[in-house]
Amino acid sequence: MNTLKPNEQRAKNAIILIWIMLILEVISLISGYFQYDLLQVVANGGEISIERANANDTREQIIGLLYLITYIISAVTFIQWFRRAYYNLHQRVSNLSHSEGWAAGSWFVPILCLFRPYQIMQELYVETKALLIKKEITFNLNLSTGLLGSWWLLWIASNLLGQFVFRYTQNAETIDELTTSTLIGMVTNLLGIPLALVTIKVISNYAKVEPLLLKTEEEPLND
């Protein structure tokens, strides 16, 4: 029988990267506003210098690159934490709905990625809470699945808008099209801020109770 694996550092890593993502969301939002303001000058018949236009493009490209790199690293650290948490729960509960591998793989499967990660996260909360109550282990945190609903709705909305902005921007050429893509990008950034905060809360809430699994019996439960 495998023992629990440490997951505290993975939780910390994931939270740190999400905080960095939140900062980049704010920076990207501000940069987007500057670009929108620049586009409005042109749309209203004003003129801007080549230097100013190039400076805007360079700023947007740098922020976009930093955002992409941090997003990838953040996703990796989150999935590492998520999979380890589900692995540990598997060591205490034998009737979980999915294998540990799905905690990572479900994020990359079309259609399935729209609901399976949420189901696994919900199971983490529900089954861990039920196990601790069954074993009469006290904990001072309410693992509310209501928070998970907000987290997942924000994730879906942000992800869909992000994909739309990326594809729309590739073909945007006119001032109106560039303005539209900039505004939608700003909305995506605005969604990304509460998404980051809620995700941090989701991770930290579970990370606080996960060590209590060590106090439960080592044989998996069958009920």
Side-chain angles (χ1 to χ4, degrees):
M1 182 67 186
N2 293 327
T3 58
L4 300 186
K5 294 181 179 180
N7 205 22
E8 293 87 353
Q9 189 58 51
R10 292 190 178 203
K12 290 178 182 178
N13 292 343
I15 288 172
I16 289 171
L17 264 296
I18 294 170
W19 274 116
I20 296 175
M21 280 300 304
L22 188 152
I23 293 170
L24 286 173
E25 294 285 9
V26 174
I27 293 174
S28 184
L29 176 63
I30 295 171
S31 180
Y33 176 78
F34 287 152
Q35 176 164 280
Y36 172 76
D37 189 56
L38 200 65
L39 289 169
Q40 288 301 103
V41 171
V42 177
N44 292 325
E47 294 185 1
I48 59 173
S49 65
I50 296 297
E51 291 79 9
R52 188 179 177 188
N54 288 338
N56 176 81
D57 291 344
T58 300
R59 184 191 68 246
E60 283 285 293
Q61 289 171 2
I62 292 173
I63 293 173
L65 181 60
L66 289 174
Y67 187 99
L68 177 61
I69 292 172
T70 306
Y71 180 87
I72 293 172
I73 298 173
S74 176
V76 170
T77 56
F78 176 87
I79 291 174
Q80 285 178 330
W81 165 80
F82 191 47
R83 179 168 183 168
R84 177 63 58 82
Y86 203 47
Y87 167 87
N88 283 339
L89 187 59
H90 264 283
Q91 308 315 306
R92 293 297 185 264
V93 181
S94 63
N95 59 343
L96 296 181
S97 302
H98 311 286
S99 68
E100 170 224 342
W102 277 117
S106 61
W107 293 92
F108 305 101
V109 181
I111 306 301
L112 199 67
C113 66
L114 296 175
F115 59 88
R116 182 58 57 78
Y118 170 76
Q119 291 174 336
I120 293 175
M121 183 69 82
Q122 186 177 48
E123 195 167 37
L124 277 175
Y125 268 54
V126 172
E127 293 293 340
T128 300
K129 182 177 181 179
L131 177 61
L132 295 178
I133 291 174
K134 181 180 179 67
K135 296 302 178 181
E136 299 181 346
I137 298 173
T138 58
F139 55 99
N140 299 318
L141 188 67
N142 178 24
L143 292 177
S144 172
T145 55
L147 179 66
L148 301 184
S150 301
W151 165 67
W152 196 244
L153 284 175
L154 284 168
W155 161 253
I156 293 295
S158 178
N159 191 49
L160 291 177
L161 270 179
Q163 291 185 32
F164 175 80
V165 170
F166 177 77
R167 293 171 182 171
Y168 188 87
T169 303
Q170 301 304 306
N171 300 315
E173 296 180 354
T174 67
I175 295 299
D176 286 343
E177 290 172 339
L178 289 170
T179 300
T180 298
S181 67
T182 300
L183 287 173
I184 299 176
M186 291 169 66
V187 172
T188 304
N189 295 139
L190 285 172
L191 279 176
I193 294 171
L195 172 60
L197 292 172
V198 172
T199 305
I200 290 169
K201 185 68 173 173
V202 167
I203 297 172
S204 61
N205 279 358
Y206 191 79
K208 289 175 183 176
V209 300
E210 187 177 7
L212 296 177
L213 292 176
L214 288 168
K215 297 182 179 182
T216 62
E217 64 184 32
E218 298 215 354
E219 291 299 320
L221 301 176
N222 294 312
D223 52 13

